[in-house]
Amino acid sequence: LGVDTPLLKPLFETKSAFERLPMMSAVPDTLLCAFNGLLPPPLPEGVRDACAAYDHHLLIDLGEYGGGEASALRQRLDDFAAAAAETVATPPVRIHEATSAGEAKTLSLFRFVAAAAFKVWCTGHGAKGLSLDYALPTDVGGVPPIPLTPVKRLRYSHFGCNVVHDDIALPSTFDEARIHAIKGEIKAGIENMGGRLPSEHGHGTEYEAPADTKRRWMEMDPTNSLNPGIGGLSPLPNYGDS
């Protein structure tokens, strides 16, 4: 996230110190949300224009290893954009190339702070945040349904493996039981699309793991010493039931 940079590290440490004070846990994020509109836009003008014109955005970090990889991929992207532009009046693809190392770093950092920005937004607007990560089949491009109209929804994903991070802002009046029920409905919808929830960050003790996954864990850890209670398994030694 770039938090360890000389500029950001002391700022985040100061923020964390304030959040540990009594009655102050929400104050830093509330202030960040309130003053955010007074700060200059973090993205270059060309990228902001693309954000206004298009619904989906793909960030590609090109590497060059001496074999012309970057220029070859750029040519393929240009050819793809040109071919797409021939089929419709409005070009469906626009390519923006970072003009400096500083601009490239800004774009990369902007992607990584998305999750933190969602938390700040929810705190500043008095909403409750539900953050999910799930995997969809690579040939599925739809959006899993949710059983309500959210206050705000932010989706960003890993392009190659189709792992999606879905941040859903819910009304502050929703209690934990209702949020858990909503999560269960979303999980069922994802599985109906051939996907899995969770995907990247594991089941923990919150999600029920598939039967084949449970069997694999039990074979790897027959005494239940490593992660007791994970994925709906027993928290007791040797997977006891009492």
Side-chain angles (χ1 to χ4, degrees):
L1 298 182
V3 175
D4 287 332
T5 61
L7 174 62
L8 291 181
K9 185 176 181 179
L11 294 177
F12 270 90
E13 289 176 345
T14 301
K15 177 178 179 291
S16 297
F18 269 99
E19 290 174 338
R20 290 193 294 268
L21 296 175
M23 309 296 290
M24 294 289 286
S25 61
V27 171
D29 282 345
T30 301
L31 292 176
L32 284 173
C33 189
F35 286 101
N36 182 66
L38 303 177
L39 301 174
L43 295 176
E45 184 177 359
V47 177
R48 298 201 305 274
D49 291 342
C51 289
Y54 296 90
D55 293 329
H56 295 80
H57 314 280
L58 174 62
L59 177 64
I60 301 177
D61 191 356
L62 297 181
E64 177 58 70
Y65 301 96
E69 294 87 356
S71 58
L73 180 54
R74 178 56 196 259
Q75 184 61 55
R76 293 183 66 180
L77 292 173
D78 288 339
D79 293 344
F80 174 79
E86 294 177 356
T87 62
V88 292
T90 302
V93 178
R94 181 189 302 177
I95 298 174
H96 174 89
E97 183 173 359
T99 58
S100 67
E103 182 178 328
K105 184 176 181 180
T106 296
L107 294 173
S108 181
L109 289 175
F110 190 83
R111 172 260 178 269
F112 279 105
V113 300
F118 175 73
K119 175 180 177 293
V120 172
W121 190 94
C122 286
T123 302
H125 290 82
K128 289 188 176 179
L130 173 60
S131 295
L132 307 172
D133 76 280
Y134 50 83
L136 295 173
T138 54
D139 59 348
V140 173
V143 179
I146 54 178
L148 77 164
T149 301
V151 179
K152 185 79 71 174
R153 189 176 189 181
L154 172 65
R155 298 178 75 247
Y156 45 103
S157 62
H158 305 219
F159 181 70
C161 60
N162 219 17
V163 169
V164 179
H165 297 271
D166 203 339
D167 293 333
I168 304 168
L170 302 171
S172 61
T173 54
F174 283 19
D175 59 23
E176 292 303 316
R178 187 171 184 182
I179 294 175
H180 186 75
I182 291 171
K183 187 185 300 183
E185 292 186 51
I186 297 173
K187 185 175 188 293
I190 291 167
E191 291 171 348
N192 288 337
M193 298 172 67
R196 287 285 184 91
L197 168 66
S199 59
E200 183 181 5
H201 297 293
H203 292 80
T205 57
E206 182 176 5
Y207 295 104
E208 186 81 13
D212 59 335
T213 302
K214 290 181 180 180
R215 286 194 298 269
R216 184 173 72 252
W217 289 341
M218 294 175 73
E219 291 172 358
M220 295 172 60
D221 180 22
T223 62
N224 201 20
S225 301
L226 300 178
N227 289 293
I230 190 173
L233 289 173
S234 168
L236 302 177
N238 302 310
Y239 302 99
D241 56 8
S242 62

